[in-house]
Amino acid sequence: MTYTDATSSGLMSSDEAKQSYIMGIQSAHALETQATQLINRQLERIESYPEVAAILRQHYGETEAQLQRLDGILQELGTSSSGLKDFATGLSGNMAAMAHTIMSDEIMKNHFANVAFEAFEQATYRSLIAMAQATGFQHHVAIYEASLREEEKTFATLLNMTDQLTTKFMQLSLSGEQAKR
């Protein structure tokens, strides 16, 4: 069978389609592993922005739950996360967070990266929903939708605080206080 083969119901039931789906889940797992690294590095350094730290701590818990959900789906499918993908993206997350530490506006760079990352995660879960539906794993859709809602909420929270965070950063900078983090 090829990837485009479908059953009479229009589902992609080939081994190749299932493998593509599994690869998508493993990539999402790696992405969430990267998110945990980004959040941890930022939490280690935040000093003047407790409102940002609170959002990151809450989302860290959600991210851990998302990883567990993905692990459960992978286990159901008879496989596991990709250690290589998890390692590479985790390392990438650490490097990205560390790159911002030398910037005089570290908090702002991290904020912009976090907003973009949340959009990336939303797209990932939307893709997994489409893949689950296309391959006949409809029972996974609700799991992905739960994660998508969490990502949408965090995205909206971060995006909506941009003005306030920018103003606070500027005020701290002008007063000579620790503004960058």
Side-chain angles (χ1 to χ4, degrees):
M1 283 187 164
T2 65
Y3 183 78
T4 56
D5 287 338
T7 65
S8 61
S9 64
L11 299 176
M12 296 179 203
S13 61
S14 69
D15 289 338
E16 292 88 0
K18 183 178 176 184
Q19 286 307 309
S20 291
Y21 178 47
I22 289 170
M23 185 174 49
I25 302 165
Q26 290 172 330
S27 293
H29 192 281
L31 182 66
E32 295 300 356
T33 299
Q34 182 179 15
T36 63
Q37 295 303 310
L38 282 167
I39 291 169
N40 280 332
R41 296 301 76 77
Q42 289 179 40
L43 285 172
E44 289 170 357
R45 295 187 49 82
I46 289 179
E47 295 175 4
S48 302
Y49 304 90
E51 65 278 21
V52 174
I55 293 165
L56 292 177
R57 274 195 289 288
Q58 177 183 345
H59 195 53
Y60 184 86
E62 292 169 344
T63 302
E64 287 290 313
Q66 291 165 2
L67 281 166
Q68 290 175 1
R69 291 179 211 141
L70 293 168
D71 282 335
I73 291 171
L74 288 167
Q75 186 175 22
E76 175 195 327
L77 296 173
T79 190
S80 63
S81 62
S82 169
L84 180 59
K85 283 183 182 182
D86 283 356
F87 173 76
T89 58
L91 182 62
S92 170
N94 278 318
M95 298 302 288
M98 288 174 32
H100 293 165
T101 63
I102 62 171
M103 307 290 182
S104 62
D105 60 348
E106 175 183 359
I107 189 70
M108 298 309 300
K109 297 287 190 275
N110 284 338
H111 178 72
F112 302 148
N114 290 341
V115 170
F117 201 82
E118 292 305 313
F120 190 82
E121 288 175 306
Q122 288 176 60
T124 298
Y125 283 109
R126 289 178 183 279
S127 179
L128 286 176
I129 290 167
M131 293 168 91
Q133 291 170 333
T135 55
F137 292 97
Q138 185 66 33
H139 61 288
H140 294 164
V141 170
I143 296 167
Y144 300 136
E145 286 175 340
S147 295
L148 177 59
R149 283 189 302 274
E150 291 165 349
E151 301 302 349
E152 289 170 339
K153 180 184 64 121
T154 302
F155 173 82
T157 301
L158 289 170
L159 187 61
N160 290 334
M161 75 180 306
T162 301
D163 297 352
Q164 171 193 351
L165 183 64
T166 302
T167 302
K168 183 175 181 178
F169 169 76
M170 292 176 69
Q171 288 170 339
L172 290 174
S173 294
L174 291 172
S175 69
E177 294 181 46
Q178 176 64 274
K180 76 178 257 175
R181 57 183 180 162

